[in-house]
Amino acid sequence: MDGNGRWARGRGRPASFGHRQGVRAIKRVLQACEDLGVHALSIYAFSTENWARPRAEVRALMRLFHETMQREIDEMHRRGVRIVVSGRRDELSARMRERIDEAMARTANNTNGVLNVCLNYGGRAEIVDAVRKLVRDGLPAQKVDEEAISSRMYNPELPDPDLIIRTAGEHRVSNFLLWQSAYSEMLVTETLWPDFGEDELKAALAEYALRVRRFGARPAAEIAVG
Ligand code: IPE
Ligand code: MG
């Protein structure tokens, strides 16, 4: 969800103003996912690297996450959305962890859709944490395979993303879902996150529908003609 800062700066406002508008975009996109039949949505809210931002911005972001989770949980639950949070919990405040546990526990049995909030999330940190679990589980080297690692990710039951949308024109992965994105389709849009909505999502899905996914194999038609 990139571009909140630029969106705010363009209006002569502080980054936190852009982050607030960013939350509105999340609500629009979540609704659009429901309408368009997208079952799982992962949003990159805060990376393990974002702590390096100015203290006031970090504090404003944390306050915004906390307040948003508190305010939106009832509606999410009513709409049957399951909320999961991916990331390192122990570096978050106790009250944030409480909100997260509450949201996850309350919505655990919902089946209308999944919202995966990546908070204090890093793709490398997730792999490191999975390897730690492997070691703690005492797995011998010959038992270490992709399944052993996949099953130790933060939320192993989530499907790998089919499509990753990067807003604000950045062409980099920024430590997002490194393990899970091995064969994800990537799409970069110039649209700043606060301006993202149903129309942009529709356009992204239309573009996705044109992609041919081979997962490293050769398509059947190509084999047929030699
Ligand atoms: C949002 O966008 C990312 C978050 C950490 C929530 P940015 O704050 O990175 O926006 P730009 O890159 O300054 O425009
Ligand atoms: Mg940015």
Side-chain angles (χ1 to χ4, degrees):
M1 302 187 287
D2 217 336
N4 292 353
R6 273 161 278 183
W7 189 91
R9 212 173 313 124
R11 288 161 178 77
R13 305 289 297 267
S16 56
F17 181 65
H19 297 319
R20 290 201 167 269
Q21 293 299 317
V23 170
R24 295 184 165 202
I26 297 172
K27 293 186 68 176
R28 286 198 301 272
V29 170
L30 193 63
Q31 180 63 57
C33 282
E34 194 181 324
D35 297 343
L36 299 168
V38 175
H39 185 74
L41 174 68
S42 290
I43 53 174
Y44 203 178
F46 194 87
S47 76
T48 48
E49 289 76 39
N50 283 149
W51 296 106
R53 292 192 175 202
R55 272 176 71 108
E57 185 180 353
V58 170
R59 209 174 308 126
L61 275 170
M62 289 301 159
R63 204 176 307 130
L64 183 62
F65 297 144
H66 187 269
E67 152 195 323
T68 303
M69 241 183 290
Q70 187 157 315
R71 191 183 60 230
E72 303 296 334
I73 175 74
D74 286 344
E75 195 191 328
M76 293 288 117
H77 189 44
R78 193 166 42 74
R79 282 160 62 179
V81 175
R82 182 158 71 97
I83 296 174
V84 298
V85 177
S86 299
R88 282 193 174 156
R89 299 279 184 87
D90 44 359
E91 287 151 12
L92 299 172
S93 70
R95 62 189 218 119
M96 184 75 83
R97 292 200 300 268
E98 270 167 40
R99 283 288 86 69
I100 292 171
D101 290 342
E102 183 195 3
M104 288 182 68
R106 251 184 93 189
T107 63
N109 296 319
N110 290 347
T111 54
N112 267 353
V114 189
L115 175 65
N116 174 31
V117 183
C118 296
L119 187 57
N120 193 23
Y121 175 86
R124 287 184 172 181
E126 183 177 27
I127 295 169
V128 168
D129 291 349
V131 172
R132 284 183 183 162
K133 285 178 206 158
L134 278 179
V135 173
R136 245 180 262 128
D137 292 345
L139 233 72
Q142 68 275 14
K143 286 254 173 80
V144 177
D145 54 15
E146 292 189 9
E147 170 52 27
I149 296 176
S150 290
S151 64
R152 287 170 177 82
M153 291 284 139
Y154 294 136
N155 291 290
E157 73 288 0
L158 292 183
D160 287 344
D162 291 309
L163 173 65
I164 295 182
I165 301 173
R166 230 2 287 217
T167 58
E170 303 294 354
H171 291 249
R172 58 171 170 266
V173 180
S174 295
N175 208 6
F176 188 53
L177 300 177
L178 293 184
W179 179 266
Q180 298 88 339
S181 65
Y183 278 102
S184 300
E185 293 292 328
M186 305 287 300
L187 190 142
V188 174
T189 169
E190 295 299 319
T191 303
L192 305 176
W193 176 251
D195 290 327
F196 201 91
E198 186 175 15
D199 290 348
E200 283 77 14
L201 184 64
K202 271 191 186 152
L205 294 180
E207 154 92 42
Y208 171 78
L210 299 174
R211 305 272 178 99
V212 181
R213 303 183 73 190
R214 301 186 192 91
F215 300 95
R218 222 175 263 301
E222 203 180 310
I223 294 170
V225 293

